[in-house]
Amino acid sequence: MHDDIEAIRKLFDRYTELWVQHEMREWGELFTEDCDFITHRGVWWRSREENVRGHKDVPGSVLAQKKNYSQTVVDIQPLTPGVMLVHTEWAWPDHVLPGAAVSEDRRGSHHCGSRATLGAVVDPSGTEHTTQRAR
């Protein structure tokens, strides 16, 4: 069990690293083909292909801000042998959407099923909280 939990933590470290580097093809390989991904804006992608395609389509102004993103695993609960429920918290301070007049301190959570033995994230969904401030 301890080995599975450590594998999950490493998986999410890699997930965050690839996200920040905007290596979406490799990041997408962490997901199962039939994953569901609900974005912080409520967009629901129902496959790895949709998830990766949607995340690749990001304006340069947003890509430049990814260096501010961080994510921490806060809880891992075993569901069945080799399958864990993973809760993470993420933060993206000073995020500015294209055309926005204010920056936002964005933070939220991901709730994912994960298979440690496959190195796969299954069905991530999340919530988001923002604090706006004038630029």
Side-chain angles (χ1 to χ4, degrees):
M1 176 81 69
H2 176 71
D3 290 344
D4 285 348
I5 289 173
E6 188 58 32
I8 295 291
R9 289 189 184 283
K10 287 181 181 178
L11 172 68
F12 278 87
D13 286 347
R14 184 70 178 143
Y15 173 110
T16 304
E17 177 184 326
L18 292 169
W19 171 262
V20 169
Q21 295 171 354
H22 200 66
E23 296 292 338
M24 294 295 98
R25 191 169 67 82
E26 192 174 347
W27 177 80
E29 291 172 8
L30 299 176
F31 295 85
T32 59
E33 289 285 341
D34 61 346
C35 74
D36 286 347
F37 191 104
I38 302 170
T39 72
H40 62 272
R41 295 240 181 247
V43 177
W44 190 350
W45 292 316
R46 297 174 186 257
S47 69
R48 177 193 296 169
E49 180 184 341
E50 285 182 5
N51 183 20
V52 170
R53 186 174 55 240
H55 279 100
K56 279 184 176 180
D57 186 25
V58 177
S61 63
V62 173
L63 293 179
Q65 301 173 68
K66 278 191 157 189
K67 66 185 181 297
N68 296 335
Y69 180 91
S70 64
Q71 180 173 227
T72 304
V73 173
V74 293
D75 191 43
I76 302 172
Q77 294 295 321
L79 297 178
T80 62
V83 178
M84 308 285 185
L85 177 60
V86 182
H87 302 282
T88 73
E89 293 178 343
W90 59 266
W92 199 340
D94 295 321
H95 187 282
V96 181
L97 289 171
V102 296
S103 66
E104 299 174 337
D105 284 342
R106 299 173 102 176
R107 62 184 177 83
S109 57
H110 286 130
H111 312 282
C112 313
S114 187
R115 296 182 215 151
T117 54
L118 296 178
V121 178
V122 183
D123 299 339
S125 62
T127 59
E128 177 182 14
H129 315 281
T130 62
T131 303
Q132 293 186 340
R133 65 175 167 252
R135 292 180 67 203

